[in-house]
Every structure is written in C-alpha cells, then in structure tokens.
Amino acid sequence: MRSLWMLVAGFLFACMGVLVKLGAAYFSSTELVFYRSLFGVWMTYLVIRYYRLPVTTPHWRVHCWRGISGLISLLMFFYCITQLPLATAISLNYTWPLFLALFSTLILKEHIRWPLVCTVLVGFIGVVLLLRPSLPEDHWVAGLLGMASGFFAAIAYINVKQLGELGESEWQVVFYFTLISTLGTGVWLLFTAFSPVNWDGLLLLLGTGVTATLAQLAMTRAYHQGATMVVTSLGYSTVLFASLWGILLWNEVLPPVAWLGMGLIVLGGTLSGILSIKQAPAVAPK
C-alpha cells in the first residue's frame, strides 16, 4: 500500500503540468521555473530548520553539477509543456530511464545486459512514433527539447546517486537544487524582464509550487517505504493523468500512432527502471 504514494505523486505532477500550461498565458517558461524553484527552496529550508538538519555540505561541487543538470532539464521540460500537448511533453521527459540505462553502461562502466538494451530500443522506437508523424513541423524543436530534458534528467539522476553515496540527505539535495535553480533563473530574468503578477497569475504560481513540492514529498515517501519495482512502474501514472487532463481541458485528441509511441516509452522506461534496480536503487531526479 505504501507504494501507492507514487500514484499520489503522479497525479500531483500531472496537476503541476496543467498549472504550468495555464501559467504560460501570464509568464515565460523561465519565469515559471523561477517561481517554482523559489517556492521549493523556501519550503525545504523551513523543513530543514524545523528538524534541525544540517544545511552546510562539503560536497558542493556535486550539488552544483546536480543543480545545473536539473535546471537545464526543468527549463526544457517547462518550455515543452507550454508548446506541446501535455501528455506528449511529459512522455518525452520520461525518457530519462532510457538515457540512464545508456549512461550506466557508457559512464558508470556497468556490464552490458542485452535485456536492458532491448528495453531501451523499445522506448526509443516509441519516441520516434511519438515525434513522427504525430507532431506538426513547427513543433519539432519543442519535441526535441522535451527529449533533451529527459537526457539531462538522467544526468541529474547520476548526480543524485553520487550524493546519496556521499551521505547527503534528500532534503539537502532538493534544497541545493532549488537554490541553484532560483539563482540561475533569477539572474537571467534580471537581464531580461519579469512579467507583472496579477491575482490569477499569483494563484497559478502558488498552485505550481504547492503541487510540485507535495509531489516531490509523495514520491520520496514512495521510494523510501514502498517496493521499488512497483514504485518505478507506478511513476508512469503521470502520463495517464496528464492524458486525461489534456483531453478534459484542451480536447487534446492524439492520433493512434502517438498513443502507441507513448505506450512504448512507458513500457521501455518501466522495464529499464526495473532492470536497473539490481545495479542501483531508484531515486527520482527532480
């Protein structure tokens, strides 16, 4: 039953995607990342102070790499959400287990396992079906950025794994990630422009921050207390919830080939995550 916390996380992540898509009418994707990160850094800092957890760390270099890779992934992901059907954007971002399987062999020098190779191929066949011919030509850049967000999310996963091995708590990891994301996007926006915040926009920003933070907590609890294989599989419930929201709110009717592609991404990603469990514990990157 504890694994079912991942269903809660999946629903909340899909709700965050809805709020990001709605927020695009008021803010740029960079601003949405900034406010989402600003909310997250204050929430995690208050929790750290309340439980008197350590804030300082000797492993700031790894935190910086994790923060930069996570920030790049988040910026691409939010932009993709604002440009593509919600389920498509989330499916492309959820290619990160496929990239992680490749990195485990190429970077971490783990032995090649052919069942894992086959699951990766299944997932990337799904990507091809999802991108072509279901996306119009003017959305190809957004589609490629969505897949790139999964690439950088996989790098963030490796950094999270390294931090876990160094003894850093999940609160420290989330705190420094949101801090780096807030500072990075904040500096960028100082040299560009901040959009005015009205009442409707403020509610959307608060909703994005709340759903993202609660989803992170639910996901962390699921991985800590639930069966890892079950949690890894339930993580793809976000795609299902996003599909339902897209149909209900925007009448996003995708062609059959797109649904087939999404199904193959989910299948490949789930099997890749399960097969990778024997090598390393599953830790969510964002």
Side-chain angles (χ1 to χ4, degrees):
M1 290 296 293
R2 292 174 179 175
S3 299
L4 295 180
W5 277 104
M6 196 63 206
L7 284 178
V8 177
F11 176 75
L12 290 171
F13 275 129
C15 291
M16 182 201 73
V18 170
L19 294 169
V20 169
K21 202 169 183 67
L22 293 173
Y26 302 90
F27 309 101
S28 67
S29 56
T30 304
E31 288 176 299
L32 291 169
V33 171
F34 170 76
Y35 288 114
R36 184 265 193 208
S37 302
L38 181 64
F39 185 92
V41 74
W42 278 109
M43 284 293 297
T44 51
Y45 179 74
L46 291 175
V47 170
I48 288 173
R49 298 304 298 173
Y50 180 81
Y51 288 104
R52 298 181 180 179
L53 301 174
V55 178
T56 57
T57 175
H59 309 296
W60 59 270
R61 288 185 179 86
V62 185
H63 279 289
C64 285
W65 283 115
R66 185 269 180 270
I68 293 171
S69 59
L71 173 58
I72 294 172
S73 174
L74 199 58
L75 285 168
M76 292 179 173
F77 180 40
F78 274 31
Y79 175 78
C80 190
I81 289 177
T82 64
Q83 301 297 314
L84 298 178
L86 184 60
T88 301
I90 289 180
S91 297
L92 291 172
N93 177 256
Y94 271 55
T95 55
W96 69 264
L98 307 177
F99 287 111
L100 180 64
L102 293 177
F103 293 159
S104 297
T105 301
L106 298 177
I107 298 177
L108 301 181
K109 305 301 182 182
E110 295 177 356
H111 295 296
I112 296 176
R113 290 179 292 160
W114 291 109
L116 188 58
V117 172
C118 291
T119 62
V120 171
L121 290 175
V122 168
F124 282 114
I125 290 172
V127 171
V128 173
L129 292 176
L130 185 58
L131 291 179
R132 180 183 179 87
S134 60
L135 284 185
E137 292 184 2
D138 57 340
H139 283 171
W140 260 82
V141 173
L144 293 176
L145 287 176
M147 192 167 65
S149 73
F151 176 88
F152 283 100
I155 296 176
Y157 174 98
I158 293 177
N159 297 140
V160 169
K161 178 183 175 182
Q162 292 171 334
L163 288 167
E165 292 173 347
L166 292 170
E168 298 290 90
S169 71
E170 64 271 15
W171 288 107
Q172 286 175 306
V173 174
V174 174
F175 171 74
Y176 282 107
F177 163 56
T178 52
L179 177 62
I180 291 170
S181 297
T182 302
L183 293 176
T185 52
V187 170
W188 174 264
L189 291 170
L190 285 176
F191 289 95
T192 54
F194 279 94
S195 301
V197 180
N198 57 24
W199 180 247
D200 291 338
L202 178 61
L203 291 178
L204 290 171
L205 293 175
L206 290 175
T208 300
V210 170
T211 53
T213 303
L214 292 179
Q216 187 77 47
L217 293 173
M219 180 175 59
T220 302
R221 185 164 187 173
Y223 274 115
H224 281 189
Q225 299 183 3
T228 306
M229 288 187 181
V230 178
V231 172
T232 300
S233 301
L234 292 178
Y236 278 90
S237 63
T238 306
V239 177
L240 173 61
F241 289 127
S243 302
L244 295 175
W245 277 124
I247 293 171
L248 290 174
L249 296 179
W250 294 285
N251 194 29
E252 294 176 346
V253 180
L254 300 177
V257 67
W259 288 105
L260 176 60
M262 288 166 54
L264 291 177
I265 291 173
V266 170
L267 176 63
T270 301
L271 293 177
S272 296
I274 291 174
L275 290 172
S276 298
I277 287 168
K278 298 179 180 179
Q279 296 291 331
V283 182
K286 287 192 277 300

